[in-house]
Amino acid sequence: MAPPRTDAPSRIVRLDTEIQYVKGVGPRRAEQFAEHGIRTVGDLLCHLPFRYEDRTQFRSISSLREEEWVLTRGRIAGIGGFEGRRRRISVVEILVRDATGSVRLKFFNQPYLRSVFKPGLDLIIYGQVKRDPRAHGTLVLMNPECELHEQETGPRVHSGRVVPVYRRLGDMRTRTLRQIVFGIVSNLPPDMDDPLPGYLRRRYRLMSRDRAFALLHFPLLNGTTREARNTEMEALNRGLSPAHKRLIFEELFQLNVGLQMIRSSRTRLLKDRRLQISENVREAIKKILPFHPTVAQKRVLKEIADDMRSPSPMSRLLQGDVGSGKTIVAAQAAILAAENGYQTAIMAPTEILAEQHYFSFRNLLTPLGYRIDLLKGSLRRKEKDSALARIAAGETHIAIGTHSLIQDEVEFARLALVVIDEQHRFGVVQRGVLMEKGHKPDVLVLTATPIPRSLALTLYGDLDISVIDQLPPGRKPIETRSYEPEDREAIYKEIRRVVEDGHQAYVVYPLVEESEKIDLRAATEMARHLEREVFPDLRIGLLHGRMKSAEKDSVMTAFAAGKIHALVATTVIEVGIDVPNATLMVVEHAERFGLSQLHQLRGRVGRGAAQSMCLLVADARNNPDARRRLEIMCETNDGFRIAEVDLELRGPGEIAGTRQSGIPAFRFANLIRDRKGLELAREEAGEFLGRIRRGGDEECLRLASLIRKQVRERYGWALIG
Ligand code: ADP
Ligand code: MG
């Protein structure tokens, strides 16, 4: 069966044809398209129908049955309804008739429909059949979707086939869009550049690209039985028809080829240094550990050391649940560099974290004679200049800071290793910039955002991955409970109990930009309330991002030294903070946090041998998603399990890390639903690039440069050389 074609004189359009030159568009509509990011024919073709309707067969009105979703048509025979007082409610009611009978349609609060529906007009109607309790239980369709049914001459666009239903764009409704898209797909050239090599299309029986685009918008059903057709319709409506699958595979394949290209272009870079691991180095590394490393820590350290000794720069992701001991491993890697006479830069997403790292690295490493410098915004010019001078002279072994560390003014004498902590704020592009900088440093990215492996391999597809899949011994799972805001007394009791046991507590408030002032006030007031009314005998601290750096320092230092019993904080403490004596985490307004955030916050406790506890204070009565989040938090401590539920609840666009990973939203693929396809695409991308390395045939070489170009355009990864 051929894809739909018109008999109209062909007017070839290409994917890069500007939308305004398409038949039926023009400058005014082009502007509306542009507002939705649609500039070319290709962009519009990627604007997927949100539903398909099988309009090959309409149901006759007399055959409609209660509860069925149906497609029917008929002529408007009468219009009625009423308008409530002060227009609070309006009902437009119309009677539609065909040769077999009549049925009523009711529209609530859409009074303008009165001027659209006129007796004598023909309608196509889609909706669910109900019994109307207000009209003696007769059948009715409530708020069905309707389209005027004009008799079509020429090719049938709106009926007699499976039709796409689009979301409205500007003032263009589905019918207009359908007409425009139909014009396009009827005129797509069959020789469209296809980024999927022929052998892959054959291997997976994937259709050509032009055909996929045509069928994506104007599907043809192959089934001859009703069941078969229903199955096909269902696949279409779930975005999994053969046309969808072809484009999903293409999207995943391209992405993976792009990422692997970045990766291999890095392995072609050569460092001008080789690190040795002598006995001295081994000894130095061992000395910093006040405990035995876990098996997992040993394994990943070896992977890192091997990379650091290899000729091309490391780009490795170190994944491990909160508290699994990533920082220690990073410190060991830094020693490896230092003992070979090289410098390490450690970048944290926030100043507080940079400071935290500074303190822990200083505690670990200064006694052994390593020199550590912290670069932060609040340094006085003189302090900063002298730190910069030490770094430039190579006296500093480890420089710690925020992103400013890779700014131009910082010159390293002998930079060998860059550690990026909590990578979810640092994407593919920035990583690339770093690699390109003078020293071709080894890059180690630390992340506690647990995502399933198949996803990690794509989201961080430009990196090698090491996993610490084990917690240090003696950790007890953090007991987690949820409370309603009214249970305040119970919560205060827990805080008191913990403090009396010699431990400390966090009380965390959400801080979101939209309500920053209110949130800050809430945290500040809570701190004051606790201090004056609830725990006049305890020391309460307050920490938030708006405080001056020196204030933050002194609060954090006091808390780490055990001089503050309870620390009220905004989410500035979300990542990385390590005070093992803190054993209670109270999260206020927990309903406002996402799962991975809650997990991160909880990870601030349970860092020592004592039993820790996390209390989630939430009003989740009318929020089923929030309830589910609280449930899973109370149920498990396993970051990977939590990540999976997070994926289910949030959907693919929202996966922690996706936004920041530098990979824009997918057009066809859905990273959760298509996990299998993702795996396959990754393997095939590897094989494809392998073919090219071995010389490749003409098609492969042509496609490689096509993909390179497309990936650059879409993702802006300049590194793909
Ligand atoms: P992460 O950065 O992975 O969240 P950290 O490196 O901050 O974890 O380590 C969490 C805590 O566990 C720290 O107090 C650290 O000193 C301690 N720790 C790390 N590795 C071990 C180990 N092998 N045995 C005992 N304690 C450890
Ligand atoms: Mg950490």
Side-chain angles (χ1 to χ4, degrees):
M1 218 183 306
R5 300 243 174 254
T6 57
D7 307 324
S10 83
R11 171 164 157 178
I12 292 288
V13 289
R14 304 203 166 264
L15 291 188
D16 57 2
T17 304
E18 278 175 49
I19 199 78
Q20 87 170 82
Y21 302 117
V22 165
K23 185 156 176 267
V25 180
R28 203 182 65 82
R29 282 184 172 160
E31 238 168 70
Q32 297 183 24
F33 277 127
E35 273 166 32
H36 291 84
I38 296 171
R39 287 184 179 75
T40 63
V41 162
D43 294 339
L44 180 55
L45 290 181
C46 291
H47 178 69
L48 297 188
F50 77 97
R51 186 161 61 72
Y52 298 87
E53 273 175 26
D54 181 355
R55 293 192 182 170
T56 50
Q57 279 146 355
F58 291 91
R59 296 277 298 276
S60 65
I61 288 178
S62 68
S63 76
L64 304 186
R65 297 289 173 267
E66 191 182 351
E67 293 302 314
E68 286 178 323
W69 286 90
V70 294
L71 179 75
T72 183
R73 64 184 156 188
R75 180 162 294 177
I76 299 178
I79 304 182
F82 69 94
E83 211 134 295
R85 257 179 300 149
R86 282 189 270 157
R87 293 186 162 235
R88 280 273 179 70
I89 181 166
S90 85
V91 180
V92 175
E93 195 173 321
I94 66 175
L95 186 70
V96 175
R97 206 187 292 285
D98 73 0
T100 67
S102 63
V103 68
R104 280 174 317 117
L105 316 182
K106 271 187 169 183
F107 301 88
F108 295 93
N109 294 329
Q110 303 175 65
Y112 60 89
L113 288 177
R114 261 173 217 288
S115 55
V116 180
F117 293 140
K118 299 282 174 225
L121 288 178
D122 289 319
L123 289 184
I124 295 176
I125 303 145
Y126 177 82
Q128 193 180 22
V129 184
K130 293 277 186 195
R131 285 203 180 278
D132 190 349
R134 292 173 184 276
H136 316 294
T138 53
L139 293 183
V140 65
L141 287 114
M142 309 272 194
N143 294 320
E145 284 183 41
C146 292
E147 204 179 299
L148 291 181
H149 183 35
E150 287 150 25
Q151 290 311 317
E152 295 183 60
T153 55
R156 305 240 272 168
V157 180
H158 307 287
S159 67
R161 60 161 62 249
V162 177
V163 299
V165 181
Y166 299 99
R167 283 186 210 294
R168 178 179 169 157
L169 280 181
D171 62 11
M172 293 172 281
R173 289 171 183 275
T174 199
R175 202 179 165 82
T176 311
L177 290 167
R178 197 182 290 143
Q179 194 78 52
I180 295 170
V181 174
F182 189 84
I184 292 173
V185 300
S186 310
N187 291 305
L188 282 181
D191 60 347
M192 219 193 292
D193 262 345
D194 194 326
L196 285 183
Y199 74 87
L200 280 181
R201 295 212 308 263
R202 285 188 294 277
R203 184 174 297 167
Y204 298 109
R205 296 172 201 228
L206 299 171
M207 63 183 80
S208 69
R209 201 165 196 233
D210 60 312
R211 188 171 162 81
F213 274 124
L215 292 180
L216 192 65
H217 293 275
F218 293 92
L220 297 169
L221 300 185
N222 294 309
T224 45
T225 65
R226 177 122 163 238
E227 289 88 77
R229 295 169 73 86
N230 282 345
T231 312
E232 284 177 72
M233 283 305 295
E234 208 185 301
L236 277 166
N237 280 319
R238 293 174 52 210
L240 287 174
S241 70
H244 286 97
K245 282 187 179 155
R246 138 85 221 204
L247 292 162
I248 290 168
F249 188 80
E250 173 184 319
E251 184 163 49
L252 296 176
F253 178 75
Q254 268 197 3
L255 172 70
N256 278 284
V257 170
L259 286 165
Q260 291 182 29
M261 278 174 168
I262 291 188
R263 195 154 135 184
S264 69
S265 73
R266 276 185 203 159
T267 58
R268 280 197 299 275
L269 294 175
L270 289 181
K271 310 189 276 212
D272 55 4
R273 60 179 180 276
R274 284 291 180 90
L275 270 50
Q276 306 287 330
I277 305 192
S278 62
E279 242 348 274
N280 287 348
V281 176
R282 273 180 228 283
E283 278 305 307
I285 289 179
K286 268 196 201 140
K287 264 194 220 145
I288 70 163
L289 289 182
F291 37 67
H292 291 293
T294 60
V295 173
Q297 282 171 317
K298 277 195 216 159
R299 186 187 61 236
V300 304
L301 179 63
K302 180 168 184 323
E303 288 164 352
I304 291 166
D306 286 348
D307 280 358
M308 289 176 73
R309 282 187 296 173
S310 89
S312 54
M314 160 169 80
S315 37
R316 184 168 287 280
L317 176 75
L318 175 53
Q319 211 188 2
D321 211 340
V322 279
S324 60
K326 297 181 293 295
T327 311
I328 295 283
V329 173
Q332 292 176 318
I335 290 180
L336 182 51
E339 288 295 316
N340 278 273
Y342 288 100
Q343 296 169 294
T344 295
I346 298 187
M347 300 201 314
T350 64
E351 283 223 339
I352 289 206
L353 257 185
E355 282 165 30
Q356 166 83 24
H357 275 312
Y358 176 63
F359 291 123
S360 44
F361 273 79
R362 207 180 49 181
N363 290 342
L364 284 169
L365 301 178
T366 320
L368 302 175
Y370 299 105
R371 165 144 212 137
I372 303 170
D373 266 306
L374 173 65
L375 274 186
K376 53 178 181 180
S378 56
L379 287 185
R380 255 169 296 174
R381 191 69 240 177
K382 238 174 92 188
E383 295 169 319
K384 190 167 181 190
D385 283 345
S386 65
L388 287 174
R390 283 193 297 273
I391 295 171
E395 289 165 25
T396 302
H397 296 106
I398 299 174
I400 301 180
T402 58
H403 291 183
S404 61
L405 260 192
I406 55 161
Q407 279 163 3
D408 294 324
E409 89 179 297
V410 186
E411 285 288 341
F412 285 83
R414 288 162 64 79
L415 180 64
L417 174 65
V418 175
V419 177
I420 305 172
D421 192 15
E422 302 304 344
Q423 94 102 49
H424 50 281
R425 311 197 182 163
F426 209 76
V428 180
V429 177
Q430 290 102 315
R431 288 201 290 272
V433 172
L434 200 61
M435 300 289 292
E436 305 267 285
K437 271 196 93 161
H439 306 269
K440 305 198 183 79
D442 292 311
V443 175
L444 180 66
V445 177
L446 310 184
T447 180
T449 309
I451 49 175
R453 185 171 166 78
S454 58
L455 271 182
L457 288 174
T458 290
L459 293 183
Y460 309 118
D462 58 326
L463 304 173
D464 297 314
I465 299 185
S466 291
V467 184
I468 304 186
D469 49 5
Q470 182 178 31
L471 292 179
R475 292 285 167 79
K476 300 190 184 75
I478 302 157
E479 190 186 324
T480 306
R481 296 189 210 146
S482 74
Y483 283 92
E484 314 225 308
E486 295 77 56
D487 302 331
R488 217 141 275 292
E489 286 309 316
I491 294 157
Y492 295 156
K493 232 164 134 184
E494 287 300 335
I495 296 180
R496 170 142 332 254
R497 190 184 56 75
V498 162
V499 172
E500 279 170 3
D501 285 348
H503 293 292
Q504 294 159 277
Y506 296 100
V507 181
V508 175
Y509 276 81
L511 185 74
V512 289
E513 254 166 75
E514 302 89 70
S515 54
E516 194 180 313
K517 277 202 187 121
I518 302 170
D519 289 338
L520 267 185
R521 191 155 17 107
T524 316
E525 275 167 16
M526 180 50 120
R528 203 174 299 146
H529 175 63
L530 291 180
E531 192 163 38
R532 295 197 184 149
E533 280 131 60
V534 191
F535 303 117
D537 53 330
L538 302 187
R539 289 199 53 184
I540 309 293
L542 174 67
L543 186 70
H544 60 72
R546 284 292 183 82
M547 285 162 53
K548 292 228 174 62
S549 188
E551 288 175 89
K552 282 190 276 189
D553 276 4
S554 70
V555 173
M556 259 332 285
T557 316
F559 188 67
K563 291 184 189 142
I564 288 175
H565 296 114
L567 181 62
V568 179
T570 56
T571 33
V572 289
I573 67 155
E574 180 189 337
V575 278
I577 283 183
D578 183 32
V579 179
N581 192 48
T583 58
L584 176 64
M585 168 61 66
V586 178
V587 182
E588 297 277 350
H589 294 291
E591 76 278 1
R592 283 168 55 188
F593 289 95
L595 259 182
S596 71
Q597 247 185 329
L598 288 175
H599 183 62
Q600 282 291 332
L601 283 171
R602 179 169 62 183
R604 294 313 108 213
V605 297
R607 306 191 138 237
Q611 173 67 54
S612 289
M613 204 191 276
C614 174
L615 309 182
L616 304 171
V617 189
D619 180 0
R621 270 162 284 208
N622 299 316
N623 188 339
D625 272 7
R627 263 209 309 276
R628 178 87 186 100
R629 290 198 293 268
L630 299 176
E631 262 169 36
I632 190 77
M633 286 295 294
C634 295
E635 198 179 295
T636 182
N637 273 267
D638 177 352
F640 282 86
R641 173 81 190 103
I642 288 172
E644 298 227 333
V645 176
D646 198 25
L647 288 182
E648 282 160 27
L649 288 177
R650 296 214 278 178
E654 300 271 335
I655 297 168
T658 331
R659 292 245 178 87
Q660 289 87 359
S661 69
I663 296 171
F666 291 86
R667 286 170 174 154
F668 304 104
N670 170 325
L671 286 184
I672 304 164
R673 183 193 64 190
D674 303 327
R675 258 194 247 180
K676 280 222 182 82
L678 186 60
E679 198 86 5
L680 206 63
R682 195 172 51 79
E683 280 164 25
E684 291 297 354
E687 198 210 300
F688 174 74
L689 288 171
R691 281 178 186 233
I692 290 175
R693 270 194 298 279
R694 291 192 300 275
D697 59 13
E698 201 185 315
E699 190 200 18
C700 284
L701 294 178
R702 192 176 57 77
L703 290 186
S705 68
L706 176 70
I707 294 176
R708 200 172 281 137
K709 180 166 155 271
Q710 291 183 344
V711 169
R712 258 199 228 120
E713 274 164 16
R714 171 123 191 253
Y715 300 99
W717 295 334
L719 302 130
I720 299 184

